[in-house]
Structures are given as C-alpha cells and as structure tokens.
Amino acid sequence: MTNKKVVYIDLDGVIVDLIGELNHELSTSTKVYEDPTDLIDDSETIFLNAKPIPHALESINELEKHYDVYILSTAPWHNIHSWSQKRIWVEKYLPSMYKKLILTHHKEQLIGDYLIDDRTKNGAGEFKGEHIHIFTDQFPTWQSVTDYLIPKN
Ligand SMILES: [Mg+2]
C-alpha cells in the first residue's frame, strides 16, 4: 500500500503500437480480411510482436516517481493468445509493472484517480476518476499527459 494517487494506463494504442503491428501482419498475411481489424482476433502473435509507442515507456517511468501506476487493458475475448501475450509483453518492456497488470472488459469498476486511455470503450468513459483521453486535442501527446500530471518545480 502507498498513499500515492493511482494512475491506470491502457495498453493498446497508448503504450503498445497495435495498429503498426496490425498493418505489418496484414502485409504478410495470406488470408484476405473484409474487415482488417478481424486479424486482431485471429493472430497468434500480434500482441507479442507489437512495438512500444514512442515516449510511452519513458513517460511511464516518470509517472511512477509520483504515482502508483497500473496497466489496465482489455484483451480480446475471442483471442485467447492475447491474454498471455499481454502478460509477456509487460514483463519484457515494463518489468516494474510486476503483478500490476489488470485485464478486464469493465474498466469502470476500478477505483483510482486517473485513467490514461485512447478510447471510451470497455468502461473507460465511465471511469469514476478522471479519464485522460490521450491522443485527442486535449492531450495530443504523451508529453502533454506528463506535463499535466507531474508538477513542475
Ligand atoms: Mg486503447
């Protein structure tokens, strides 16, 4: 337990460049998808091989100096590989998030101060703390988020 404020951070599209890896796998896939995002439910590697979004890891390291930080992510229900791959990805890129990965379709159920999320889906829009809607006009970059959350001396 700590008395720091709690920050939850979404994975896909916030820390993990899932779209970049989606485009890469689509370019090498032998299957043709009517809806390209259907590959996300099909792929056995997409969540493992996706790269970090620029500045995300550094920003999280900064936030951890001031906040109790957790990862709060939704894993596709129909892609069972995604659940274990997210766990492996977090250990590889964010070892400090040891046992701080929460996978849920109901983000509104979590108690905390801030949720950094690029969408309102899976309860993010109903989160009881403050939803920091990253990569919108209000918070266009990771830098804008850390500027907002970390006080300047
Ligand atoms: Mg997301």
Side-chain angles (χ1 to χ4, degrees), residues 10 12-14 117-119:
D10 176 37
D12 301 329
V14 177
D117 203 307
D118 63 328
R119 299 197 301 173

Side-chain angles (χ1 to χ4, degrees), residues 48-144:
L48 200 59
N49 293 336
K51 301 289 183 285
I53 284 183
H55 309 298
L57 303 182
E58 300 87 338
S59 300
I60 292 165
N61 290 336
E62 279 305 305
L63 286 172
E64 284 189 283
K65 296 174 185 169
H66 302 269
Y67 294 95
D68 191 15
V69 179
Y70 295 81
I71 304 298
L72 183 57
S73 177
T74 302
W77 192 257
H78 297 291
N79 185 342
I80 58 170
H81 307 284
S82 68
W83 295 70
S84 55
Q85 288 178 13
K86 282 171 181 273
R87 155 72 175 78
I88 295 166
W89 197 98
V90 165
E91 182 168 46
K92 178 177 178 182
Y93 289 103
L94 290 164
S96 62
M97 290 292 132
Y98 179 71
K99 294 190 176 179
K100 296 182 89 179
L101 169 65
I102 300 165
L103 298 178
T104 181
H105 286 71
H106 301 279
K107 294 178 178 177
E108 78 285 355
Q109 296 294 334
L110 276 290
I111 297 168
D113 298 284
Y114 300 98
L115 168 62
I116 303 168
D117 203 307
D118 63 328
R119 299 197 301 173
T120 56
K121 278 195 73 170
N122 300 309
E126 289 78 51
F127 179 68
K128 309 286 190 305
E130 182 176 347
H131 174 204
I132 295 177
H133 202 162
I134 192 170
F135 305 136
T136 59
D137 286 346
Q138 196 185 358
F139 295 104
T141 61
W142 259 111
Q143 183 70 53
S144 67

Side-chain angles (χ1 to χ4, degrees), residues 1-6 66-68 113:
M1 285 295 285
T2 113
N3 49 19
K4 287 178 175 174
K5 286 188 171 181
V6 171
H66 302 269
Y67 294 95
D68 191 15
D113 298 284

